[in-house]
Amino acid sequence: MQDADDRDEGTRPDAGGGESDAGTYWWCTLCPMADGTRRDLTGLLESIGGRDGRLVHLQRTPSRPGRHADWPEWADPDLVTAYRRLGVERPWTHQVAAARSAHAGHHTVLATGTGSGKSLAAWLPALSDVLAAQAPGTDSRISAHGQRPTTLYLSPTKALAADQAAALGRLIGELETVQRDAGTPAGSLRTVRAGTCDGDTPLPERDWVRAHADVVLTNPDFLHFSLLPGHERWPRLLRGLRYIVIDECHAYRGILGAHVALVLRRLLRLVTRLRPRGPQPVVLCASATAAEPALTAARLIGANPDDVVAVTDDGAPAGERTLALWQPALRDPWALPTPGKGEPAKTAAPQPAPAEDAGSSPGTAQAGAEAMTAEPDSGDPGEDPSARRSAVVEAAELLVDLLSVGARALVFVRSRRSAEIVAERARHTLGLSLPELIGTVSAYRGGYLPEERRALEADLRSGRLRALATTSALELGIDVTGLDAVLIAGWPGTRVSLGQ
């Protein structure tokens, strides 16, 4: 089984070119400084790249205020109190709209911006149903434990599942604290049991998840290779399955999307066979960049698009953001002629002319030679790409500039080797001027041990790591607060990946 975090090797099939191409542009998205200071990262970019033409384009997106809504009347009071203790006094409008739709039994897709709190829309109805099954007056026998509603959470990467498991653990811990503070005896606490089950999960933990978990966090690979073939060992999850949460559903496109769609339909058919007269599972999809969310979700689960409720009106606030289009610096700017001055450019040693085809003319060959010697920045598609530095080298140097002013940043590259190069080059450069920051830069990619990946994710969230050079293994949906800049070395292949 392929590791869901190991799909970052090499170039993605939908991406053109590579970051090693010296003529490749790369992108930098910026937001206000996390520590509340007013350092202007846009001004830093303009001062670095404005003089030599590296800063090609700058686009600013203004901030927008948030819009709140009241908690749904069916939401569990203790769960609402737990959310409030975690800082969520009132949910955003899109969270309530999606949660109400899913709780009412409608397949739902929530397509709002990154960091807009889409997880709350899934956990609010799912956890409320689990807690309602444990309310006073309900069946408290041991046999009733197997009849509690369950939720299956699917993510494209293990990093995202681990991030959600950590957030869910904090919420459940706060939920239990709320009840203890209210004087509820320890034996009467209502709780939710959640567990992660993937290729990294030890066998004893898998057994516990099968027997006790109300919420199972996994990925489509595990669902296909382990859970569905061994479905007779998952009766509690499948017979009580109330919600299926598909995070980052836009990631399932092309051949991968076709495979995941077939796996999901197998799952839904299996639940129907195990529970022919019971309510069927509700699918809740979440995406930050789906162009046609209802159609995307409908294709995944085999439903009619009219039967899927799409929530696209983002009620979350957003800070001001800046998108910069950057090109790497020239390798030797002094070797180029000044436009309009007529100085001769450096020429390479003459090469033997290729043999002309029978149908070609001398004029065609001459035009091809002129195209191959076009100057950088001439706009000619035949300009020499080797005249500019690698985008990976450029990204490492700009990362050092950002770290020197106190910013926190991520650098996305398209291969494991490039991630290591960016991190090592940045550490080397910092060692010459700011050695105290060497330990705050690291690489993240598929191929690391699970405990190494989880440690890097924790250090990034806590702020001990100020910069991470990473592949697409960290691209989808990781919630990292306090980031000031995101650098993307090379065109990521699609506008979806760029927005993500």
Side-chain angles (χ1 to χ4, degrees), residues 81-127:
T81 303
Y83 269 118
R84 284 174 172 160
R85 288 193 177 188
L86 292 175
V88 185
E89 285 295 330
R90 297 177 66 198
W92 309 119
T93 54
H94 66 272
Q95 293 173 326
V96 173
R100 287 186 184 279
S101 174
H103 188 263
H106 305 297
H107 296 315
T108 306
V109 56
L110 178 57
T112 54
T114 302
S116 60
K118 293 184 286 294
S119 302
L120 184 146
W123 299 136
L124 187 62
L127 303 191

Short mmCIF file of all heavy atoms in Angstrom, two decimals, residues 81-127:
data_model
loop_
_atom_site.label_atom_id
_atom_site.label_comp_id
_atom_site.label_asym_id
_atom_site.label_seq_id
_atom_site.Cartn_x
_atom_site.Cartn_y
_atom_site.Cartn_z
N THR A 81 -20.23 24.63 25.06
CA THR A 81 -19.41 25.23 26.11
C THR A 81 -17.94 24.92 25.89
O THR A 81 -17.06 25.76 26.11
CB THR A 81 -19.86 24.73 27.49
OG1 THR A 81 -21.25 25.02 27.67
CG2 THR A 81 -19.06 25.40 28.60
N ALA A 82 -17.64 23.69 25.45
CA ALA A 82 -16.26 23.31 25.17
C ALA A 82 -15.68 24.15 24.04
O ALA A 82 -14.53 24.61 24.12
CB ALA A 82 -16.18 21.82 24.83
N TYR A 83 -16.47 24.36 22.99
CA TYR A 83 -16.00 25.21 21.90
C TYR A 83 -15.75 26.64 22.40
O TYR A 83 -14.75 27.27 22.02
CB TYR A 83 -17.04 25.24 20.76
CG TYR A 83 -16.82 24.19 19.70
CD1 TYR A 83 -17.77 23.20 19.46
CD2 TYR A 83 -15.66 24.18 18.94
CE1 TYR A 83 -17.57 22.23 18.48
CE2 TYR A 83 -15.45 23.23 17.95
CZ TYR A 83 -16.42 22.25 17.73
OH TYR A 83 -16.21 21.31 16.77
N ARG A 84 -16.62 27.14 23.25
CA ARG A 84 -16.43 28.50 23.76
C ARG A 84 -15.16 28.60 24.61
O ARG A 84 -14.46 29.61 24.56
CB ARG A 84 -17.66 28.92 24.57
CG ARG A 84 -18.86 29.28 23.68
CD ARG A 84 -20.11 29.55 24.47
NE ARG A 84 -21.17 30.07 23.61
CZ ARG A 84 -22.45 30.05 23.91
NH1 ARG A 84 -22.86 29.52 25.08
NH2 ARG A 84 -23.34 30.54 23.08
N ARG A 85 -14.87 27.56 25.37
CA ARG A 85 -13.64 27.58 26.15
C ARG A 85 -12.41 27.55 25.26
O ARG A 85 -11.33 28.00 25.67
CB ARG A 85 -13.62 26.40 27.11
CG ARG A 85 -14.60 26.52 28.26
CD ARG A 85 -14.30 25.49 29.34
NE ARG A 85 -15.19 25.65 30.49
CZ ARG A 85 -15.03 24.98 31.63
NH1 ARG A 85 -14.01 24.12 31.76
NH2 ARG A 85 -15.87 25.16 32.63
N LEU A 86 -12.56 27.01 24.07
CA LEU A 86 -11.45 26.99 23.13
C LEU A 86 -11.39 28.26 22.28
O LEU A 86 -10.55 28.35 21.38
CB LEU A 86 -11.57 25.76 22.21
CG LEU A 86 -11.35 24.40 22.89
CD1 LEU A 86 -11.63 23.27 21.90
CD2 LEU A 86 -9.93 24.29 23.44
N GLY A 87 -12.27 29.20 22.55
CA GLY A 87 -12.22 30.49 21.86
C GLY A 87 -13.26 30.70 20.79
O GLY A 87 -13.27 31.75 20.15
N VAL A 88 -14.15 29.74 20.57
CA VAL A 88 -15.20 29.88 19.55
C VAL A 88 -16.48 30.31 20.25
O VAL A 88 -17.31 29.47 20.63
CB VAL A 88 -15.39 28.57 18.76
CG1 VAL A 88 -16.40 28.78 17.62
CG2 VAL A 88 -14.07 28.07 18.22
N GLU A 89 -16.67 31.60 20.44
CA GLU A 89 -17.87 32.09 21.11
C GLU A 89 -19.11 31.87 20.26
O GLU A 89 -20.14 31.40 20.75
CB GLU A 89 -17.72 33.58 21.43
CG GLU A 89 -16.80 33.87 22.60
CD GLU A 89 -17.34 33.33 23.91
OE1 GLU A 89 -18.58 33.26 24.05
OE2 GLU A 89 -16.54 32.96 24.78
N ARG A 90 -19.01 32.19 18.99
CA ARG A 90 -20.12 31.99 18.05
C ARG A 90 -19.54 31.49 16.73
O ARG A 90 -18.47 31.96 16.30
CB ARG A 90 -20.90 33.28 17.81
CG ARG A 90 -21.58 33.83 19.05
CD ARG A 90 -22.27 35.15 18.72
NE ARG A 90 -23.38 34.97 17.79
CZ ARG A 90 -23.91 35.97 17.08
NH1 ARG A 90 -23.41 37.20 17.16
NH2 ARG A 90 -24.92 35.74 16.26
N PRO A 91 -20.21 30.57 16.07
CA PRO A 91 -19.68 30.06 14.79
C PRO A 91 -19.91 31.05 13.66
O PRO A 91 -20.73 31.98 13.76
CB PRO A 91 -20.48 28.77 14.58
CG PRO A 91 -21.77 29.02 15.29
CD PRO A 91 -21.45 29.90 16.47
N TRP A 92 -19.19 30.84 12.55
CA TRP A 92 -19.41 31.63 11.35
C TRP A 92 -20.66 31.13 10.63
O TRP A 92 -21.11 30.00 10.84
CB TRP A 92 -18.20 31.56 10.43
CG TRP A 92 -16.89 31.87 11.07
CD1 TRP A 92 -15.81 31.04 11.18
CD2 TRP A 92 -16.51 33.10 11.71
NE1 TRP A 92 -14.79 31.67 11.85
CE2 TRP A 92 -15.19 32.93 12.19
CE3 TRP A 92 -17.15 34.32 11.94
CZ2 TRP A 92 -14.50 33.93 12.86
CZ3 TRP A 92 -16.48 35.32 12.61
CH2 TRP A 92 -15.17 35.13 13.06
N THR A 93 -21.20 31.96 9.77
CA THR A 93 -22.46 31.63 9.09
C THR A 93 -22.33 30.37 8.24
O THR A 93 -23.25 29.54 8.22
CB THR A 93 -22.90 32.81 8.21
OG1 THR A 93 -21.82 33.17 7.33
CG2 THR A 93 -23.27 34.02 9.06
N HIS A 94 -21.22 30.19 7.55
CA HIS A 94 -21.09 29.00 6.68
C HIS A 94 -20.95 27.73 7.51
O HIS A 94 -21.39 26.66 7.07
CB HIS A 94 -19.90 29.17 5.73
CG HIS A 94 -18.57 29.21 6.43
ND1 HIS A 94 -18.02 30.36 6.91
CD2 HIS A 94 -17.69 28.22 6.75
CE1 HIS A 94 -16.85 30.11 7.47
NE2 HIS A 94 -16.63 28.81 7.39
N GLN A 95 -20.38 27.83 8.70
CA GLN A 95 -20.28 26.65 9.56
C GLN A 95 -21.66 26.17 9.99
O GLN A 95 -21.95 24.97 9.96
CB GLN A 95 -19.42 26.97 10.79
CG GLN A 95 -17.96 27.24 10.48
CD GLN A 95 -17.19 27.72 11.70
OE1 GLN A 95 -17.74 28.43 12.55
NE2 GLN A 95 -15.93 27.35 11.80
N VAL A 96 -22.52 27.10 10.38
CA VAL A 96 -23.86 26.74 10.82
C VAL A 96 -24.68 26.20 9.65
O VAL A 96 -25.42 25.20 9.79
CB VAL A 96 -24.55 27.95 11.47
CG1 VAL A 96 -26.00 27.63 11.78
CG2 VAL A 96 -23.81 28.36 12.73
N ALA A 97 -24.56 26.84 8.48
CA ALA A 97 -25.33 26.38 7.32
C ALA A 97 -24.97 24.95 6.94
O ALA A 97 -25.85 24.12 6.67
CB ALA A 97 -25.10 27.33 6.14
N ALA A 98 -23.67 24.63 6.91
CA ALA A 98 -23.25 23.28 6.55
C ALA A 98 -23.62 22.27 7.64
O ALA A 98 -24.06 21.14 7.34
CB ALA A 98 -21.75 23.25 6.29
N ALA A 99 -23.47 22.65 8.90
CA ALA A 99 -23.80 21.74 9.99
C ALA A 99 -25.30 21.44 10.00
O ALA A 99 -25.71 20.28 10.22
CB ALA A 99 -23.37 22.34 11.32
N ARG A 100 -26.14 22.44 9.79
CA ARG A 100 -27.59 22.21 9.76
C ARG A 100 -27.96 21.27 8.61
O ARG A 100 -28.81 20.38 8.75
CB ARG A 100 -28.33 23.54 9.61
CG ARG A 100 -28.33 24.41 10.85
CD ARG A 100 -29.21 25.64 10.63
NE ARG A 100 -29.18 26.56 11.74
CZ ARG A 100 -29.90 26.42 12.86
NH1 ARG A 100 -30.71 25.38 12.99
NH2 ARG A 100 -29.81 27.31 13.83
N SER A 101 -27.35 21.47 7.45
CA SER A 101 -27.67 20.64 6.29
C SER A 101 -27.29 19.19 6.54
O SER A 101 -28.08 18.27 6.26
CB SER A 101 -26.93 21.18 5.06
OG SER A 101 -27.10 20.32 3.95
N ALA A 102 -26.09 18.96 7.08
CA ALA A 102 -25.67 17.58 7.35
C ALA A 102 -26.53 16.95 8.43
O ALA A 102 -26.90 15.77 8.33
CB ALA A 102 -24.20 17.57 7.76
N HIS A 103 -26.85 17.70 9.47
CA HIS A 103 -27.67 17.15 10.56
C HIS A 103 -29.07 16.80 10.07
O HIS A 103 -29.70 15.87 10.60
CB HIS A 103 -27.74 18.16 11.70
CG HIS A 103 -28.39 17.62 12.94
ND1 HIS A 103 -29.73 17.84 13.23
CD2 HIS A 103 -27.91 16.85 13.96
CE1 HIS A 103 -30.03 17.24 14.37
NE2 HIS A 103 -28.95 16.64 14.83
N ALA A 104 -29.55 17.53 9.06
CA ALA A 104 -30.88 17.25 8.50
C ALA A 104 -30.87 16.05 7.56
O ALA A 104 -31.93 15.66 7.05
CB ALA A 104 -31.41 18.48 7.77
N GLY A 105 -29.69 15.47 7.28
CA GLY A 105 -29.63 14.29 6.45
C GLY A 105 -29.31 14.53 5.00
O GLY A 105 -29.48 13.62 4.17
N HIS A 106 -28.82 15.73 4.65
CA HIS A 106 -28.51 16.05 3.26
C HIS A 106 -27.00 15.93 3.02
O HIS A 106 -26.20 16.40 3.84
CB HIS A 106 -28.96 17.47 2.90
CG HIS A 106 -30.41 17.74 3.18
ND1 HIS A 106 -31.43 17.06 2.54
CD2 HIS A 106 -31.02 18.61 4.03
CE1 HIS A 106 -32.59 17.50 2.97
NE2 HIS A 106 -32.38 18.44 3.89
N HIS A 107 -26.64 15.29 1.90
CA HIS A 107 -25.23 15.33 1.49
C HIS A 107 -24.83 16.79 1.29
O HIS A 107 -25.55 17.57 0.64
CB HIS A 107 -25.02 14.55 0.19
CG HIS A 107 -25.32 13.09 0.32
ND1 HIS A 107 -24.88 12.33 1.37
CD2 HIS A 107 -26.02 12.25 -0.50
CE1 HIS A 107 -25.28 11.07 1.21
NE2 HIS A 107 -25.99 11.00 0.09
N THR A 108 -23.69 17.16 1.81
CA THR A 108 -23.31 18.57 1.86
C THR A 108 -21.85 18.72 1.45
O THR A 108 -21.01 17.86 1.77
CB THR A 108 -23.50 19.14 3.28
OG1 THR A 108 -24.85 18.90 3.70
CG2 THR A 108 -23.21 20.63 3.32
N VAL A 109 -21.54 19.80 0.75
CA VAL A 109 -20.16 20.14 0.45
C VAL A 109 -19.94 21.59 0.89
O VAL A 109 -20.72 22.48 0.57
CB VAL A 109 -19.84 19.96 -1.06
CG1 VAL A 109 -20.79 20.76 -1.95
CG2 VAL A 109 -18.39 20.36 -1.34
N LEU A 110 -18.90 21.80 1.68
CA LEU A 110 -18.56 23.12 2.20
C LEU A 110 -17.31 23.59 1.48
O LEU A 110 -16.23 23.02 1.65
CB LEU A 110 -18.32 23.04 3.71
CG LEU A 110 -17.90 24.33 4.43
CD1 LEU A 110 -18.92 25.43 4.20
CD2 LEU A 110 -17.72 24.06 5.91
N ALA A 111 -17.44 24.62 0.66
CA ALA A 111 -16.33 25.14 -0.14
C ALA A 111 -16.08 26.59 0.25
O ALA A 111 -16.64 27.52 -0.33
CB ALA A 111 -16.64 25.03 -1.63
N THR A 112 -15.25 26.77 1.26
CA THR A 112 -14.87 28.11 1.72
C THR A 112 -13.36 28.16 1.85
O THR A 112 -12.67 27.16 1.69
CB THR A 112 -15.54 28.44 3.06
OG1 THR A 112 -15.24 27.40 4.01
CG2 THR A 112 -17.05 28.55 2.90
N GLY A 113 -12.83 29.33 2.18
CA GLY A 113 -11.40 29.56 2.14
C GLY A 113 -10.61 28.74 3.15
O GLY A 113 -11.15 28.21 4.13
N THR A 114 -9.31 28.64 2.90
CA THR A 114 -8.41 27.97 3.83
C THR A 114 -8.43 28.69 5.17
O THR A 114 -8.36 29.92 5.24
CB THR A 114 -6.98 27.98 3.26
OG1 THR A 114 -6.99 27.32 1.99
CG2 THR A 114 -6.03 27.26 4.19
N GLY A 115 -8.51 27.93 6.26
CA GLY A 115 -8.53 28.52 7.59
C GLY A 115 -9.87 29.08 7.99
O GLY A 115 -9.96 29.84 8.96
N SER A 116 -10.95 28.71 7.29
CA SER A 116 -12.27 29.25 7.61
C SER A 116 -13.04 28.40 8.61
O SER A 116 -14.22 28.65 8.87
CB SER A 116 -13.11 29.41 6.32
OG SER A 116 -13.27 28.16 5.67
N GLY A 117 -12.42 27.37 9.18
CA GLY A 117 -13.07 26.56 10.20
C GLY A 117 -14.04 25.54 9.68
O GLY A 117 -15.10 25.30 10.29
N LYS A 118 -13.70 24.89 8.57
CA LYS A 118 -14.63 23.90 8.00
C LYS A 118 -14.80 22.69 8.91
O LYS A 118 -15.82 22.01 8.86
CB LYS A 118 -14.12 23.48 6.62
CG LYS A 118 -14.17 24.60 5.58
CD LYS A 118 -13.76 24.12 4.20
CE LYS A 118 -12.26 23.90 4.12
NZ LYS A 118 -11.50 25.16 4.24
N SER A 119 -13.80 22.40 9.73
CA SER A 119 -13.88 21.21 10.60
C SER A 119 -15.05 21.30 11.58
O SER A 119 -15.69 20.29 11.87
CB SER A 119 -12.58 21.03 11.37
OG SER A 119 -11.49 20.90 10.49
N LEU A 120 -15.33 22.49 12.09
CA LEU A 120 -16.42 22.64 13.05
C LEU A 120 -17.75 22.20 12.44
O LEU A 120 -18.60 21.62 13.14
CB LEU A 120 -16.50 24.08 13.54
CG LEU A 120 -17.53 24.40 14.63
CD1 LEU A 120 -17.00 25.49 15.56
CD2 LEU A 120 -18.87 24.84 14.04
N ALA A 121 -17.95 22.48 11.15
CA ALA A 121 -19.20 22.11 10.50
C ALA A 121 -19.40 20.60 10.48
O ALA A 121 -20.53 20.11 10.46
CB ALA A 121 -19.23 22.66 9.08
N ALA A 122 -18.31 19.84 10.50
CA ALA A 122 -18.41 18.38 10.51
C ALA A 122 -18.53 17.83 11.92
O ALA A 122 -19.37 16.96 12.19
CB ALA A 122 -17.20 17.77 9.80
N TRP A 123 -17.69 18.34 12.83
CA TRP A 123 -17.68 17.78 14.18
C TRP A 123 -18.90 18.17 15.00
O TRP A 123 -19.30 17.41 15.89
CB TRP A 123 -16.41 18.19 14.91
CG TRP A 123 -15.14 17.74 14.27
CD1 TRP A 123 -14.01 18.47 14.08
CD2 TRP A 123 -14.85 16.44 13.73
NE1 TRP A 123 -13.03 17.74 13.47
CE2 TRP A 123 -13.52 16.46 13.24
CE3 TRP A 123 -15.58 15.25 13.61
CZ2 TRP A 123 -12.92 15.37 12.64
CZ3 TRP A 123 -14.97 14.16 13.01
CH2 TRP A 123 -13.67 14.21 12.53
N LEU A 124 -19.50 19.30 14.74
CA LEU A 124 -20.65 19.72 15.55
C LEU A 124 -21.82 18.73 15.44
O LEU A 124 -22.32 18.25 16.47
CB LEU A 124 -21.09 21.13 15.15
CG LEU A 124 -22.18 21.77 16.02
CD1 LEU A 124 -21.69 21.93 17.45
CD2 LEU A 124 -22.61 23.12 15.43
N PRO A 125 -22.28 18.36 14.23
CA PRO A 125 -23.36 17.36 14.19
C PRO A 125 -22.89 15.96 14.56
O PRO A 125 -23.64 15.21 15.21
CB PRO A 125 -23.84 17.42 12.73
CG PRO A 125 -22.68 17.96 11.96
CD PRO A 125 -21.98 18.90 12.89
N ALA A 126 -21.67 15.59 14.19
CA ALA A 126 -21.20 14.24 14.47
C ALA A 126 -21.06 14.00 15.97
O ALA A 126 -21.55 12.99 16.50
CB ALA A 126 -19.87 13.99 13.76
N LEU A 127 -20.41 14.92 16.67
CA LEU A 127 -20.21 14.73 18.11
C LEU A 127 -21.50 14.94 18.89
O LEU A 127 -21.73 14.27 19.91
CB LEU A 127 -19.13 15.69 18.62
CG LEU A 127 -17.76 15.60 17.94
CD1 LEU A 127 -16.72 16.40 18.73
CD2 LEU A 127 -17.31 14.16 17.78
#
